[in-house]
Amino acid sequence: MFSPEEWLDSLTPVAAWRLLILGLICIASSNWLFQANGINNVGLFYMLPICVACWRFGFKTAMGIAVAEIALSAATFLSASGHLDTSAMVELVMQLIKLGCTAAVVSRFRQGFDRERLLARRDWMTGILNRHEFQRQAEAMLASATTRHHSLLLVYFDLDGFKAVNDEFGHQAGDRLLQCLAEKGKSLIGPADCFGRMGGDEFAVLMELTKTERALEVTAQLHLGFTAALESTGHRVTCSMGAVVALSSNDASLHELMRQADQLMYAVKRDTKAGFRLAGHAPPFDVDFLLSPRQQTCSHQSHG
């Protein structure tokens, strides 16, 4: 079930503007009725559109709404009494100040909310997705890819020799190495793809494949890119990688895909390290590949 802030954020800009305009019309109509009956204390209701506008569109838009509300209030005064006296003008100015203060408070709260939400979804050291957020976004990607009949590539890898860096050069050197790897990863994947730190020196990537046949090429590019990033740190650290192609025709869960990619990764660590193994999750793309940059060999085995 959506919380109020999640519901507001889920609205399209057009829907949010419709909500604001409808709210202004309702409040202005109520204000006119109350003024006609001698009731003046309805300014509090004008704060609701201010809060919505500030939360959804920002401080400047909220202040624009505030000016529109003051104009509506002035029109209501004129309609009810036929003139604007000094007390009415003072009341309108005070109302504008109150609305401005409300917008400022909501704006600061929104900034803090966004900052805390970002920190809750990101790994504190590398700035990429943490495990929980990676899994959440990956689940959404998997559901969308199934609906649109697209294939995905899930890559799971960890670092070979990372512990030796921490032991010999200290944890600060290890932290810098992880940060360098994360920065490189951001340049290797698209904005719609997922890249997260699963914990320690383990990472995962989930990306959409334009063509299933490019799975080997894309996996090799990722492995070479991350290998180059590790080499640039000056430490003798490599990465072992397991990758799985998730076909749109298959209903495999994210948990199952990650389990298989994890098994492939550990198979590489046992065999050669510094390589990757790729497998299709279901026929007809049920092929394993092994690539070791050190040996520069590639072998594959088909399963009927």
Side-chain angles (χ1 to χ4, degrees), residues 29-258:
S29 300
S30 301
N31 195 11
W32 183 84
L33 291 173
F34 291 153
Q35 287 286 342
N37 290 278
I39 303 174
N40 298 323
N41 297 322
V42 296
L44 181 64
F45 294 107
Y46 278 118
M47 291 187 179
L48 295 176
I50 294 297
C51 293
V52 172
C54 195
W55 184 269
R56 192 63 178 78
F57 299 109
F59 179 78
K60 291 183 179 180
T61 300
M63 289 307 299
I65 296 293
V67 171
E69 289 178 343
I70 296 302
L72 287 173
S73 293
T76 302
F77 273 118
L78 286 172
S79 176
S81 61
H83 69 283
L84 284 174
D85 55 21
T86 303
S87 61
M89 293 292 291
V90 172
E91 184 176 344
L92 289 174
V93 172
M94 293 301 297
Q95 186 176 344
L96 180 61
I97 293 174
K98 291 178 183 178
L99 295 177
C101 291
T102 300
V105 171
V106 174
S107 179
R108 290 295 299 272
F109 180 80
R110 176 70 203 238
Q111 292 174 3
F113 177 85
D114 288 341
R115 183 166 53 252
E116 291 300 320
R117 184 166 60 176
L118 179 64
L119 291 174
R121 295 179 176 181
R122 299 282 171 172
D123 175 62
W124 65 273
M125 182 187 301
T126 60
I128 60 177
L129 301 179
N130 59 28
R131 186 184 189 91
H132 176 77
E133 184 62 16
F134 176 88
Q135 291 177 337
R136 189 188 71 82
Q137 293 191 19
E139 291 279 10
M141 280 185 66
L142 195 60
S144 176
T146 301
T147 302
R148 294 182 293 117
H149 304 291
H150 288 178
S151 298
L152 297 176
L153 178 68
L154 175 65
V155 174
Y156 203 98
F157 68 95
D158 82 347
L159 308 184
D160 311 312
F162 178 71
K163 185 178 182 300
V165 175
N166 284 332
D167 293 342
E168 185 175 353
F169 300 98
H171 288 279
Q172 288 187 345
D175 293 348
R176 287 193 296 270
L177 185 146
L178 295 178
Q179 290 163 358
C180 178
L181 184 74
E183 285 300 316
K184 181 62 176 180
K186 295 175 186 177
S187 67
L188 292 174
I189 67 173
D193 301 326
C194 293
F195 178 38
R197 184 185 180 197
M198 300 295 99
D201 60 344
E202 295 188 354
F203 297 82
V205 175
L206 183 66
M207 56 197 310
E208 191 171 285
L209 289 173
T210 55
K211 293 182 180 180
T212 306
E213 294 78 10
R214 293 193 64 239
L216 177 59
E217 176 187 350
V218 173
T219 307
Q221 289 175 349
L222 288 174
H223 189 270
L224 290 173
F226 285 123
T227 298
L230 294 171
E231 290 177 349
S232 69
T233 64
H235 298 291
R236 298 182 62 183
V237 178
T238 58
C239 66
S240 295
M241 181 180 291
V244 179
V245 176
L247 300 179
S248 59
S249 59
N250 191 272
D251 58 354
S253 66
L254 177 65
H255 175 76
E256 172 61 24
L257 293 171
M258 293 188 71

Side-chain angles (χ1 to χ4, degrees), residues 1-11 16 19 48 51-53 55-56 109-110 113 117:
M1 186 175 180
F2 283 143
S3 61
E5 66 274 9
E6 290 175 332
W7 178 75
L8 282 176
D9 287 338
S10 70
L11 294 177
L19 178 65
L48 295 176
C51 293
V52 172
W55 184 269
R56 192 63 178 78
F109 180 80
R110 176 70 203 238
F113 177 85
R117 184 166 60 176

